[in-house]
């Protein structure tokens, strides 16, 4: 049930800042213990203590992660991947034969943390039968009713005539309770009725002849579209690094990379791209290297920022720049007035070469008016390349 689902309980506790802690007992009121000694995760305000080894709906590589691994990932949400892995190894040694923390890749970890903070997830399997929607609708209705009752009552006694009016009110529900009622409805029989029509349609569908015949779009109908990835150059000479790329791509303002310290191993920015999805912005993941990549992540890479140094591509799927930029858009950002490196010129039109005004120091914001123009030029090139590669409103390329 939704009210005892470990992921929903943990997400609600984080949102409401309610108490939750590991314990060595099934009693929700039992005291906190170290995670290595815990047998349960307690939610005292809900009167629930779930076994720490309970499998959850967070699935990666067809394997569900247990509650201990999810809780551990949340505790270490600000850790870099090497530190996170070291903490997981130390905890596994302390656990011995009592269990094991399952390691998360950094894309999965980011996905889980953002879901616990209120976003969507491509790794969490929805509750069966719409239980989550029904539970959410009932909770929202009850909360609204309680708030209205408190507002009407005020500090004094409610006027009897006004009370009679309120008693005659028609109680309204939200869209979930109106459409589904108080019990989840099973629509699985509809799938059997629709199968002949879907099969006939797939057999008669014309073969697509696009400009890039090697690009195929994922046939996955359900589920969340994966986030596109942008790779940055790890070179110390790069003008754009993790600590200044967000202000440039999201706000259209350049600041030197050495003016702000950053310990983040990845960032994400949002950008509206009407030609791909006119209704909602796309979320882009920004990283400086592919060391933690799984093979399928390369199909999500939409741009590579480079300084023209070929050592950057040593660990890439395509280590040859000429081959790399046949699959992925390249972006070079230098100083205005300086000629691009010879390597960038040799790579041709597959690398967008741009330049920003030199940094004159704080207090010279008026001279940065052209930064926005360069930012828009880069985003336009990325959007055009994504459309060409097969990014759609509800799907991403299965190969690039």
């Amino acid at each position: 049930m939704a009210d005892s689902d470990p992921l929903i309980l943990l997400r609600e506790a984080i949102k409401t800042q309610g108490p939750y802690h590991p314990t060595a007992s099934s009693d929700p009121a039992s005291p906190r213990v170290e995670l290595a000694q815990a047998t349960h995760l307690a939610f005292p305000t809900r009167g629930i203590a779930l076994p720490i080894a309970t499998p959850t709906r967070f699935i990666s590589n067809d394997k569900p992660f247990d509650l201990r691994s999810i809780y551990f990932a949340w505790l270490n949400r600000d850790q870099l991947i090497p530190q996170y892995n070291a903490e997981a190894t130390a905890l596994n040694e302390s656990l011995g034969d009592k269990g094991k923390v399952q390691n998360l890749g950094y894309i999965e970890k980011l996905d889980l943390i953002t879901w616990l903070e209120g976003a969507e997830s491509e790794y969490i399997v929805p509750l069966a039968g719409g239980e989550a929607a029904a539970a959410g609708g009932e909770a929202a209705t009850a909360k609204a009713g309680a708030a209205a009752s408190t507002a009407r009552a005020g500090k004094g006694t409610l006027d009897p005539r006004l009370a009679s009016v309120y008693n005659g009110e028609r109680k309204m529900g939200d869209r979930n309770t109106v459409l589904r009622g108080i019990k989840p409805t099973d629509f699985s029989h509809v799938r059997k009725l629709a199968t002949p029509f879907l099969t006939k349609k797939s057999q008669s569908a014309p073969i697509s002849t696009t400009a890039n015949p090697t690009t195929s779009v994922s046939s996955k109908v359900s589920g969340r579209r994966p986030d596109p990835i942008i790779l940055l150059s790890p070179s110390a000479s790069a003008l754009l690094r993790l600590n200044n790329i967000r202000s440039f791509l999201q706000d259209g303002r350049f600041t030197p990379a050495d003016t702000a310290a950053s310990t983040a191993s990845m960032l994400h920015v949002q950008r509206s791209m009407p030609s791909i999805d006119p209704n909602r912005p796309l979320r882009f993941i920004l990283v400086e290297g592919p060391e933690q990549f799984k093979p399928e992540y390369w199909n999500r890479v939409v741009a590579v920022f480079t300084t023209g140094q070929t050592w950057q591509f040593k660990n890439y799927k395509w280590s040859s720049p000429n081959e790399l930029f046949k699959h992925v858009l390249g972006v070079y950002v230098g100083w205005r007035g300086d000629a691009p490196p010879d390597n960038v010129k040799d790579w041709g039109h597959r690398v967008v070469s741009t330049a920003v005004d030199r940094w004159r120091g704080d207090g010279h914001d008026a001279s940065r008016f052209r930064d926005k123009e360069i930012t828009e030029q880069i985003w336009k090139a990325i959007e055009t390349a994504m459309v060409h590669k097969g990014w759609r409103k509800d799907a991403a390329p299965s190969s690039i």
Side-chain angles (χ1 to χ4, degrees), residues 25-75:
S25 169
S26 59
D27 181 5
S30 56
R32 174 192 294 269
V33 298
E34 295 295 328
L35 187 56
Q37 285 77 45
T39 60
H40 290 73
L41 187 65
F43 301 88
T45 56
R46 298 294 298 272
I48 297 175
L50 296 177
I52 202 77
T54 301
T56 70
R57 293 178 290 112
F58 189 91
I59 308 294
S60 180
N61 294 327
D62 298 326
K63 183 178 181 182
F65 276 64
D66 58 20
L67 184 55
R68 180 192 286 113
S69 302
I70 300 298
Y71 177 72
F72 176 79
W74 173 253
L75 290 182

Side-chain angles (χ1 to χ4, degrees), residues 60 65 69 72 84-86 88-89 92 100-105 108:
S60 180
F65 276 64
S69 302
F72 176 79
Y84 167 79
N85 291 337
T89 301
N92 287 336
K100 184 179 180 182
V101 168
Q102 299 159 270
N103 281 6
L104 286 165
E108 289 93 336

Side-chain angles (χ1 to χ4, degrees), residues 100-121:
K100 184 179 180 182
V101 168
Q102 299 159 270
N103 281 6
L104 286 165
Y106 67 92
I107 297 295
E108 289 93 336
K109 182 185 175 187
L110 176 64
D111 186 276
L112 172 63
I113 298 307
T114 54
W115 184 87
L116 289 173
E117 291 175 341
E120 297 178 354
S121 171

Side-chain angles (χ1 to χ4, degrees), residues 371-391:
D371 291 347
K372 186 70 174 178
E373 177 184 347
I374 301 303
T375 300
E376 293 300 319
Q377 179 184 348
I378 293 173
W379 277 123
K380 184 63 178 177
I382 293 175
E383 182 174 2
T384 302
M386 289 178 67
V387 172
H388 178 70
K389 291 296 182 183
W391 285 86

Side-chain angles (χ1 to χ4, degrees), residues 273-294:
M273 292 193 166
S275 60
I276 298 175
D277 191 340
N279 300 319
R280 55 174 180 162
L282 278 72
R283 186 177 70 168
F284 291 80
I285 296 175
L286 285 75
V287 293
E288 285 190 346
E291 289 78 11
Q292 302 294 331
F293 268 28
K294 293 181 180 179

